[in-house]
Amino acid sequence: MSTTKSISMLNPAILVPALRDAFVKLDPRQLIRNPVIFVTEVVAALVTAIFVQDVLGGLGAAFSGQIALWLWFTVLFATFAESVAEGRGKAQAESLKRGKSDLFAKKLLFPEQKDNRACEVISATALKVGDIVLVEVNDLLPGDGEVIEGVASVNESAITGESAPVIREAGGDRSAVTGGTQVISDWLKVRITTKPGETFVDRMIALIEGAKRQKTPNEIALSILLSGLTLVFLIAVVTLYGLALYSGTELSVAVLAALLVTLIPTTIGGLLSAIGIAGMDRLIRFHVIATSGRAVEAAGDVDTLLLDKTGTITFGNRMASEFLPVSGVSEKELAEAVLLASLSDETAEGRSIVALAKADFGLSEPRIVGNGTTSIPFSAQTRISGIDIEGRRIRKGAVDAVLRFVGLDKAQASPEFNKAVDAIARTGGTPLAVAEADRLLGVVHLKDVVKPGIKERFAALRAMGIRTVMVTGDNPVTAAAIASEAGVDDFLAEATPEQKLDFIRREQTGGRLIAMCGDGTNDAPALAQADVGVAMQSGTQAAREAGNMVDLDSSPTKLIEIVEIGKQILMTRGSLTTFSIANDVAKYFAIIPALFLVTYPQLGALNIMGLTSPQSAILSAVIFNALIIVALIPLALRGVKYRPVGAAALLSRNLLVYGLGGLVAPFIGIKLVDMAVTGLGII
Amino acid sequence: MSLIGWLQIGFVLIAVLLLVKPLGLYMAKVFSGERTFLSPVFDPVERGFYALAGVRPDKEQSWLGYTMGVLLFSLAGFLSLYAILRLQNVLPLNPQGFPALAPDLAFNTAASFVTNTNWQSYGGETTMSHLSQMLGLTVQNFVSAATGIAVAMALTRAFICSGANELGNFWVDLTRATLYVLLPLAIVVALAFVALGLPQSLDASFAATTLEGVQQTIATGPVASQEAIKQLGTNGGGFFNVNAAHPFENPNAFSNYLNIIAMLSVSASLVYAFGQMVGSRRQGWALLSVTVIMLVVGTGAIYWAETFGNPLLTAVGVDPGLGNMEGKEVRFGPAMSALYSAVTTGLSDGGVNAMHSSLTPLGGLVPMFLIQLGEVLPGGVGSGLYGLLVFAILAVFVAGLMVGRTPELLGKKIEAREMKFAMLAILILPLTILGFTAISAVAEFGTSSILTPGPHGLSEILYAYTSAAGNNGSAFGGLSANTPWYNTTLGIAMLLGRFAYIVPVLAIAGALVTKPRVPASSGTFPTDRPLFVGLLIGIILIMGGLQFFPALALGPIVEHFAMLAGQSF
């Protein structure tokens, strides 16, 4: 994560090309996508024409010239904001492209012959879907695909920025490989699944560069509001010409243009696309690739978060937490026996038993010597494991399997044994029975351990208004216990992929938006159905294609950050819109008295800022209007901070800062600009 | 300003607030199709109407069907009223033998009454036959109000239903609004008016001998019944030219109270009914608070400006003790005139008990601004509620984003489609008002009607188009609006202000009704709290202020500063 974060927005390497791009973006064909700024550009061109006419006519052109200049600045600042937002992404895309160039592929000539490795070397761009390629040590993967044979460690840092290599192997959930990554040991046979030019890296480049960036639904709705406001002010300004004429003032085009541009929401209009681009960029810095801005926006709206229990809420493995002996057996005795039985058990559960026995009873690890020792490995059929050592036959395993080993029914087992087993099951744990020869020794309590700090995260989510639902294959009793320990709002026990999908559909018909993450192929339908489906980069190709985001770090809790980024984008838009509209009040107080000073000197009473002259007042308003865009670029790129304090508190805070602030700030700002303009003798 | 004045204002508003709950609950029942205590009486009548008209009351309409119903019905009403006015000389019940109305005046009047505006370019008692008044104008007073209620109910259902397509049946809503709401209330209020001394007669006039022995003809007619529906339907068209300042329309303090209460009752109760129907009475109260707060502030502003008086008159020796009494009735005084003026413009009633043109500049600015805010305080019957909801949509859109969710109102997502139609609706007012005002202010055919030159003349024009587009109907009296230009353009402004607003509103309803209703969570922006009340007030004020500030600056505002500087025009 740290590798990409270090590129700062205000790096000259970004600013200089951004400045150049800002001019390129002045092309009206591009600018028309942004109606507010497009209108500003048209008005700027109009005033420029008047300035030229004034100059040619030998009239005093200083005023119209300066107005025209600042109107152009307004447009430029807006396009500059967008280029800066795109800047870092472009730099990152460049480095991705460099990595992608000159990829070649070793295409197998006889893929149907398993042992025939004859291949031809072709350019990666010539690959077709379905081709089988061989990738050996130090080769770069020529495209996206699925491993069909072999195991290898792959360095995916080109995409994830994570330098530790990952294992890729045929079959299972780790079979997907990405073009541009490098095999650093062993070899793989890969079936190409994506056409060159549409690979993950290609999509990433396109996304980062913003070429495919389309307006999100909310952005479209906001653009409609802004265009509507622009029309309202156009009506107000054009009709003002008539009303002024009645009052004995003929207003010049330059001042009407100045009034119009200061009133229309140029601040938010100029920064709107930068906010969206910066949001996507923030997501990329969190190592999440979204396939569409729509998904990021939906993330801000998520009502329900569907989280897998294993690996997300709990550590993936159950751990021993307690030894419960039957009567006649001491706790230490049980611990000793089960320690012996677990010595050669390399599973996480086995290791946790060893660790607990050592920690609680200070037992040292006995040395296993002699040939009388046989370890019995766990198998799915027997569901039992253990050791035969020095004539002792110790076994541990599932309760019914161990009972069968000692030749007892559940009813025949001692009551305290059954009680212990039930108690463990009730609290959501797994009982592991332990026996020696035909004697039951007791039970080990294996527990799903909830990750520390996860409860607080869920509480924060609840404060955001988001429900968390835990999905698990466990039985309802176990699930309920973990659910209450982790503090989730609901759970889905004994969940099959179909049930997951049904659950999502049911929630969606109630109008809720669902986010989930998954990695397996069987998660794919649910990922596709969810409004926000985050696939793990480590997952299968099917899962990665079904989701609308890919998490390069494969960390399921990242959903929470994704939601926050989605909310931040929306909040930044709302705050700047409010700010922009509130600004207009001060601009009226600056410009209206200035326009009519000759006809109605009484309106001078509205000049509460005490601006020097009509010209300086109008120019100051225009200058302020342009400068505020630049001043707010950092905020637009950084985003308004999201705090999980509930909607009402959040709103009152933002209303105070951006609503009231937007009302007051321009009064001060315009006055300051006026003082500067007057002091410098510009007018 | 005096304590007695404020007590009177408080008394009237509290009386309205007491009425709001029972009347609101009753209307919620009526429009949810439930039985009420009046059902035994009206149910057979209602079913008779449906049978006669071939309406299937259980068949609901999509937004397009509903809109077509509204437009066709209004068109039919417009054409028949136009015909009556053009033919009144040959129709019966014309005791004074008034001639037919000129085409432009008939167009203006028909547009005016079909749109619930009741702009009157004529003096009622000297122009209209009894038939025109009763069969023409009064019918529209009922059904134009009922149409407004129907549209508001269609929009309400868009918030109630989840994933549906239908908004209800226009013909049923129209019938029920008239039969169950307006008619019974009108009967009660008319009888109360008669008891308070308003005439109710089919005679044209009676003769009186004055103290000096001169014979005088005094116009009369079915005043009490007209007055009742004029207020209940927020129509505002008076039987007499001077409206509720006339001693027969509004003889005393009590009739004045009743006028204001009747005016506010239906509109305010509809807002409550909205809350009840969408399952959140708090939401109803929140919206009502917006209107009450703004009305009190508006009233206070007029009251203050009027008691402040006119320093120019004080300078020539007029006692400033009573404030500015020009154009006011002594029996009402500044407080009740201020309240009436604020209410009649906050609502789209338009009836007056004091002459708005004679208010001080700031006192006159307030009523004009209240109309320009969109007639939502609480607005015309029905039209106020849907106007208020359009602003609520705008408010949650801008501010709702600030809580980090895409905006939603009452669980319905506000997206591009809703925004598009909301902006279309919002645009109508500035486009119509400012557009026509600017043309009238520079063209000879516009300026020639002005009584007072200078800023006040501009205010007269601005007020006329504001009143027409806002479907209010009150006027700054100086303007001679009975000219072909004003009759025609004001008529167009009224039609645009009504129907170019209703169509987008119903389109919004059509879009919202199909959406699922998202359950609220702690991340949802609460729209039933004081914060939202403040926000909505802010949005209404800023939107109105930003649109109309330049125009107002050249009219009443400059006039105010000129008055302070001792200058008159």
Side-chain angles (χ1 to χ4, degrees), chain A residues 491-561:
Chain A
F491 62 86
L492 193 63
E494 289 172 346
T496 61
E498 294 76 43
Q499 279 174 331
K500 253 195 222 182
L501 191 60
D502 280 349
F503 179 83
I504 295 177
R505 289 214 174 109
R506 214 166 42 239
E507 291 272 301
Q508 282 173 333
T509 41
R512 292 197 174 87
L513 258 63
I514 317 295
M516 71 164 286
C517 53
D519 51 5
T521 301
N522 58 11
D523 283 331
L527 277 173
Q529 179 70 32
D531 301 281
V532 178
V534 182
M536 303 291 112
Q537 162 73 4
S538 62
T540 60
Q541 187 69 16
R544 276 163 39 171
E545 271 170 19
N548 44 23
M549 291 189 200
V550 176
D551 176 16
L552 302 176
D553 298 336
S554 304
S555 147
T557 44
K558 199 167 283 177
L559 266 178
I560 298 170
E561 272 90 18

Side-chain angles (χ1 to χ4, degrees), chain A residues 217-218 220-222 224-225 228-229 231-233 235-236 238-247 259 263 297 300-303 461-466 508-513 566-568 570-575 577-578 581-582 584-585 588-589 592 596 600 602-603 605-606 642 646-648 650-652 654-655 658 663, chain B residues 162 394 397-408 413-417 419-421 423 426-427 430-431 434-435 437-438 440-442 447 450 452-458 461-462 516-519 521-526 529 531-532 535 539 542-543 545-551 553-554 557-558 561-562 565 567 569:
Chain A
N218 175 261
I220 293 171
L222 187 55
I224 292 172
L225 172 78
L229 286 175
L231 270 177
V232 165
F233 290 121
I235 294 168
V238 168
T239 55
L240 187 61
Y241 180 79
L243 303 185
L245 216 54
Y246 170 90
S247 313
L259 181 62
L263 291 180
E297 198 170 277
D301 273 357
V302 160
D303 300 282
L461 283 170
R462 205 165 302 121
M464 288 184 197
I466 297 170
Q508 282 173 333
T509 41
R512 292 197 174 87
L513 258 63
K567 285 192 180 294
Q568 247 190 333
L570 295 173
M571 279 171 52
T572 312
R573 271 185 212 147
S575 301
T577 307
T578 310
I581 296 174
D584 283 355
V585 175
Y588 269 136
F589 279 94
I592 294 291
F596 300 106
Y600 292 136
Q602 303 93 336
L603 283 178
L606 293 178
Y642 179 78
L650 206 57
L651 180 67
S652 39
N654 286 336
L655 263 183
Y658 299 100
L663 215 54
Chain B
S162 202
L394 217 58
F397 188 84
V398 175
L401 279 176
M402 283 195 284
V403 304
R405 282 177 72 92
T406 56
E408 57 201 24
K413 287 265 176 236
I414 308 299
E415 290 165 308
R417 196 174 157 81
M419 225 39 224
K420 189 162 62 191
F421 290 116
M423 285 322 286
I426 295 278
L427 269 174
L431 183 67
L434 294 174
T437 303
S440 304
V442 292
T447 48
I450 292 172
T452 331
H456 196 80
L458 188 66
I461 302 176
L462 183 62
R517 203 170 164 184
V518 184
S521 73
S522 62
T524 315
F525 172 29
R529 309 268 174 81
L531 188 62
F532 179 72
L535 178 74
I539 287 281
I542 283 213
M543 284 302 291
L546 292 181
Q547 293 168 15
F548 296 105
F549 183 79
L554 292 178
I557 294 178
V558 72
F561 288 120
Q567 187 187 0
F569 294 93

Side-chain angles (χ1 to χ4, degrees), chain B residues 460-525:
Chain B
E460 289 172 5
I461 302 176
L462 183 62
Y463 196 104
Y465 287 107
T466 299
S467 172
N471 292 155
N472 183 278
S474 62
F476 260 24
L479 190 76
S480 318
N482 193 4
T483 68
W485 164 254
Y486 280 108
N487 275 334
T488 312
T489 51
L490 287 170
I492 293 170
M494 289 185 266
L495 292 171
L496 284 176
R498 178 77 164 182
F499 298 108
Y501 203 99
I502 281 183
V503 175
V505 162
L506 284 172
I508 293 174
L512 286 179
V513 76
T514 58
K515 297 189 181 187
R517 203 170 164 184
V518 184
S521 73
S522 62
T524 315
F525 172 29

Side-chain angles (χ1 to χ4, degrees), chain A residues 184-244:
Chain A
I184 52 174
S185 77
D186 306 290
W187 54 270
L188 294 172
K189 276 188 191 172
V190 174
R191 184 193 296 117
I192 296 298
T193 52
T194 319
K195 266 196 280 189
E198 289 174 16
T199 63
F200 189 71
V201 176
D202 290 314
R203 277 191 293 157
M204 199 161 151
I205 292 171
L207 186 84
I208 293 171
E209 285 188 326
K212 270 197 174 170
R213 204 181 154 274
Q214 288 184 330
K215 284 188 181 178
T216 62
N218 175 261
E219 222 174 333
I220 293 171
L222 187 55
S223 302
I224 292 172
L225 172 78
L226 299 181
S227 309
L229 286 175
T230 306
L231 270 177
V232 165
F233 290 121
L234 197 62
I235 294 168
V237 169
V238 168
T239 55
L240 187 61
Y241 180 79
L243 303 185

Side-chain angles (χ1 to χ4, degrees), chain A residues 74-154:
Chain A
T74 312
V75 183
L76 263 180
F77 291 158
T79 54
F80 177 67
E82 193 179 282
S83 336
V84 172
E86 288 170 347
R88 178 176 31 214
K90 278 198 171 159
Q92 204 180 346
E94 285 303 318
S95 76
L96 276 174
K97 272 188 202 161
R98 272 197 300 277
K100 199 172 86 84
S101 61
D102 345 309
L103 282 182
F104 64 91
K106 293 175 180 165
K107 185 178 165 191
L108 286 176
L109 293 171
F110 310 102
E112 59 286 348
Q113 294 170 17
K114 211 165 183 255
D115 296 321
N116 190 339
R117 294 222 183 156
C119 56
E120 57 170 338
V121 176
I122 60 168
S123 160
T125 50
L127 282 173
K128 290 191 291 291
V129 174
D131 285 349
I132 311 281
V133 296
L134 178 69
V135 195
E136 291 169 303
V137 176
N138 291 337
D139 286 353
L140 290 172
L141 276 143
D144 293 359
E146 204 181 343
V147 179
I148 54 169
E149 200 185 328
V151 184
S153 55
V154 178

